[in-house]
Amino acid sequence: MASDDIAQLAAALSKTHVGDGELSFKGLGLKLDDSESVAELLGKMEQYPGLRALRLEGNTVGVEAAKAIAKALESKDQLQRCYWSDMFTGRLRSEIPTALMCLSGALMSAGARLTELDLSDNAFGPDGVKAIEQLLKSPSCHTLRELRLNNCGMGIGGGKILAEALIECHKKSTAVGSALRLKVFVAGRNRLENDGASALAKAFQLMGSLEEIHMPQNGINYGGVMALASAIRHNPELRVLNFNDNTFTKRGTLAMTQALRHLRNIQVINFGDCLVRSEGAIALAAVLTEGLPVLKELNLSFGEITAGAALVVAQAVMDKPHMEKVNLNGNCLGEDGCDVLREVLDNVDKGDLLASLSEDEGEPDDEEDEDSDAGDSDGSDECYEMGECEEIVKENGMNGGESPEKSESQAEILSFLSNPSAEKLSHMKMNLQQEVNVSEPNKAAELFLKIGSLHSQDAEANTAVFEVIDGVLRKVLSAPALQSHCFLTTLLVMMGVLKGEGKVKKVPLVPGQLLCLEHAVQQEYFTQDHASVLHTLLSRNGDVLKSCSSARDRLSSALEKKSHKYH
């Protein structure tokens, strides 16, 4: 090594930080190619027999230098924290796995018991994951609490290897009486996609100990989101969920909201740039009204959320005592929608919660097609008509205790739906009420609209209509908030008030349907919260009901009276 290089290295090493059991070479920009180049670094390590933390991030380490460092690590049995991010800049992709295997082998030889391992910002790909696979399976990682592998280019293959290693580590550690209890998992920007995310979800579910999950920008859509949602339900101590810049769409958001119902310690939710959309946002608002008591931050930015849905979210966060920030920037509120949102929060002295709305996309054009399920590659375009809400609810264990069997009564109901009449209604009103399933909001909404279409000037006939409406809605709206909100949003989508996702089956509107809603709003089963949600959305999009303007105005008046506390 040239004398100038040695002098430069010595100057850099003079900035080495030592203290609290930590030896830090962080950010020194050292170019460590061989054993000679690490001589002084090794000297520092040898002077520190009780080494507990080693920071090498922000340097660049070659294979020969890694071997020399590994030799020194073999005696560091007290080492617990390895901060080794961004330490292979400029190295060949083929060099990195070899260097990592040397360092991993040394940790295992030393009998170290790691609590933190950070290898972020090292572009090692699947081969790099293979290089640390044995370390992750070994007793050295039975004590691991934080694993950070952000921006490593793992890909699907690397994600699967990592998942299997964590599962194996958990099994082995459990067998010796001290199960792996990983608390923090970070793996953003790794192109994990659905298969990689699904594999990791199995590990998450098995461990059940996670407090933070950060997996932004991984190309995950509905399939992977469903797997992750199922896994997070089994991690009750979760505080932070960051899935920014993946593709949830409505279906993935519904799955996540179902999972969030089981979690009481969530403080930060980052679903920004995840195409949550309006129906998903309203579902999240429903969960907010019933749970998430310590939530501090909610990021739903850049999610194609319209003004009405954003207002429903705002109303849901108002009563959260620990709330610090709500990010709804980059959505489709429009100038007026932004103003109303600010005003609603300002009126209850919560204006400081709202993040900037400077990048709002403006109100969506009427002709804009929101039916495409962008990012979902499973080809299930017709999922909405087939009952995606029902699918999500059932798969997440909330079927309301219902399992209706196909029967003659169901055939009668199908006949009624295809050709509703007052005569059919009077003959089968009990069947209609009994067969309503709270886990099937699509069918319940269609049934309501078909019954409502029979409203007429005949008082006696209307009595029968209202009786069945009350039976149906009392059952549906008495369900948990997530299910009742799903029903209301589905109803509004079918009415054309709210834009939906997928191929939505819309029902022709007549005034009687709105008058039946007006009747329902005045009943005890229609809560103030239900009225607030409906009033908020109708007040933003009521123009689509102009063909039934008189009935619409009566409904709006009834909603305003019941939801007065928000207005």
Side-chain angles (χ1 to χ4, degrees):
M1 177 179 283
S3 58
D4 288 347
D5 291 337
I6 294 174
Q8 186 178 4
L9 177 60
L13 288 172
S14 69
K15 302 174 184 176
T16 302
H17 169 73
V18 178
D20 301 324
E22 178 180 290
L23 182 58
S24 175
F25 303 95
K26 180 180 179 179
L28 298 183
L30 302 175
K31 191 172 188 296
L32 306 173
D33 296 322
D34 50 34
S35 57
E36 185 181 0
S37 66
V38 296
E40 292 199 36
L41 183 150
L42 297 180
K44 296 271 188 180
M45 292 176 64
E46 287 171 9
Q47 295 168 19
Y48 212 141
L51 186 64
R52 294 182 181 277
L54 179 60
R55 288 190 174 274
L56 294 175
E57 64 263 56
N59 300 290
T60 177
V61 181
V63 172
E64 293 306 314
K67 289 179 179 178
I69 294 170
K71 186 68 176 175
L73 285 174
E74 289 178 357
S75 63
K76 305 302 180 185
D77 60 338
Q78 296 182 50
L79 188 63
Q80 296 177 341
R81 303 186 301 279
C82 297
Y83 302 108
W84 296 349
S85 64
D86 187 24
M87 66 175 203
F88 296 112
T89 301
R91 301 295 171 181
L92 295 175
R93 177 87 173 255
S94 58
E95 291 182 86
I96 301 174
T98 304
L100 285 173
M101 288 182 69
C102 293
L103 295 169
S104 296
L107 294 172
M108 291 186 283
S109 296
R113 293 294 183 267
L114 298 183
T115 58
E116 297 180 46
L117 177 60
D118 186 354
L119 290 168
S120 299
D121 301 316
N122 292 311
F124 49 58
D127 290 340
V129 185
K130 288 180 183 177
I132 62 170
E133 181 180 8
Q134 294 309 311
L135 171 64
L136 291 172
K137 292 179 178 180
S138 75
S140 289
C141 284
H142 287 185
T143 49
L144 198 62
R145 296 295 178 264
E146 300 186 14
L147 178 60
R148 302 175 188 274
L149 297 168
N150 202 58
N151 191 31
C152 291
M154 289 191 287
I156 294 171
K160 289 181 175 180
I161 295 168
L162 175 60
E164 287 301 319
L166 291 173
I167 290 170
E168 184 71 14
C169 182
H170 186 271
K171 288 179 178 177
K172 287 182 176 179
S173 59
T174 301
V176 296
S178 182
L180 170 66
R181 292 191 56 79
L182 191 68
K183 293 184 177 181
V184 177
F185 179 84
V186 181
R189 301 184 65 188
N190 271 294
R191 304 192 308 277
L192 294 170
E193 300 182 15
N194 283 352
D195 289 347
S198 297
L200 285 165
K202 293 177 182 177
F204 296 166
Q205 182 164 329
L206 180 66
M207 291 185 291
S209 56
L210 287 166
E211 296 180 9
E212 298 185 22
I213 300 176
H214 302 263
M215 296 175 67
Q217 253 183 307
N218 269 298
I220 306 167
N221 59 36
Y222 168 67
V225 173
M226 276 289 291
L228 290 167
S230 179
I232 68 174
R233 291 177 57 188
H234 297 273
N235 288 265
E237 300 304 315
L238 269 169
R239 294 182 293 105
V240 179
L241 279 179
N242 177 7
F243 293 117
N244 189 285
D245 199 10
N246 290 291
T247 307
F248 282 23
T249 62
K250 174 191 169 184
R251 294 185 297 162
T253 309
L254 284 174
M256 278 292 173
T257 53
Q258 288 282 15
L260 288 170
R261 292 182 65 255
H262 299 266
L263 305 175
R264 303 288 296 174
N265 297 301
I266 291 286
Q267 297 178 13
V268 178
I269 295 174
N270 186 344
F271 295 165
D273 207 8
C274 285
L275 280 184
V276 165
R277 293 181 172 149
S278 297
E279 291 173 276
I282 294 168
L284 277 167
V287 175
L288 280 165
T289 62
E290 282 191 332
L292 304 177
V294 296
L295 188 66
K296 293 181 178 180
E297 295 184 24
L298 177 63
N299 185 345
L300 298 178
S301 59
F302 299 93
E304 294 188 4
I305 298 168
T306 54
L311 286 168
V312 172
V313 171
Q315 290 168 357
V317 303
M318 283 179 185
D319 298 326
K320 294 295 173 188
H322 303 285
M323 206 71 193
E324 296 174 0
K325 185 177 181 181
V326 180
N327 190 344
L328 290 162
N329 197 19
N331 283 297
C332 305
L333 312 186
E335 186 175 349
D336 179 58
C338 289
D339 290 342
V340 172
L341 183 61
R342 293 188 190 99
E343 182 182 349
V344 164
L345 288 170
D346 284 339
N347 285 345
V348 290
D349 295 323
K350 299 283 187 179
D352 56 338
L353 295 182
L354 191 62
S356 168
L357 299 173
S358 60
E359 297 179 80
D360 186 72
E361 297 285 339
E363 294 184 63
D365 296 332
D366 290 339
E367 67 273 12
E368 187 175 313
D369 182 10
E370 196 180 338
D371 290 350
S372 63
D373 204 1
D376 279 345
S377 56
D378 55 9
S380 53
D381 291 345
E382 298 183 9
C383 59
Y384 193 99
E385 200 164 355
M386 292 167 62
E388 66 189 49
C389 288
E390 295 90 310
E391 177 188 349
I392 303 298
V393 168
K394 289 175 181 175
E395 286 189 24
N396 284 275
M398 281 187 64
N399 60 12
E402 305 281 350
S403 55
E405 299 175 357
K406 291 187 177 180
S407 62
E408 291 182 12
S409 63
Q410 286 187 316
E412 290 177 351
I413 291 172
L414 290 173
S415 173
F416 173 80
L417 291 175
S418 63
N419 186 23
S421 70
E423 183 180 1
K424 288 180 181 178
L425 183 66
S426 64
H427 280 102
M428 58 181 300
K429 57 186 179 183
M430 286 305 298
N431 283 341
L432 286 171
Q433 295 175 38
Q434 290 171 0
E435 292 295 333
V436 170
N437 191 326
V438 296
S439 67
E440 297 180 337
N442 286 16
K443 295 176 184 176
E446 183 181 8
L447 181 60
F448 170 85
L449 291 171
K450 290 299 176 80
I451 296 169
S453 68
L454 299 177
H455 185 281
S456 67
Q457 300 298 319
D458 186 332
E460 185 176 345
N462 284 345
T463 299
V465 168
F466 288 151
E467 183 182 349
V468 181
I469 288 291
D470 288 339
V472 169
L473 292 190
R474 182 176 287 109
K475 191 172 184 179
V476 173
L477 296 180
S478 296
L482 180 55
Q483 289 172 300
S484 61
H485 279 52
C486 193
F487 164 76
L488 290 174
T489 54
T490 302
L491 181 64
L492 293 175
V493 168
M494 288 184 172
M495 292 168 64
V497 173
L498 192 66
K499 283 192 175 182
E501 201 176 82
K503 294 187 178 180
V504 180
K505 190 175 184 179
K506 293 183 180 178
V507 176
L509 282 182
V510 294
Q513 294 157 334
L514 303 185
L515 295 174
C516 284
L517 263 181
E518 180 206 14
H519 162 82
V521 168
Q522 300 171 60
Q523 310 309 309
E524 83 287 347
Y525 60 75
F526 209 101
T527 67
Q528 195 172 47
D529 183 51
H530 295 141
S532 174
V533 171
L534 208 56
H535 183 266
T536 299
L537 294 168
L538 280 175
S539 66
R540 299 300 309 172
N541 304 287
D543 286 349
V544 300
L545 305 178
K546 58 188 176 183
S547 63
C548 309
S549 58
S550 177
R552 177 198 61 190
D553 294 344
R554 285 177 57 176
L555 172 59
S556 295
S557 177
L559 287 167
E560 187 167 7
K561 286 178 183 177
K562 193 142 195 177
S563 60
H564 63 87
K565 77 170 184 177
Y566 291 119
H567 301 280

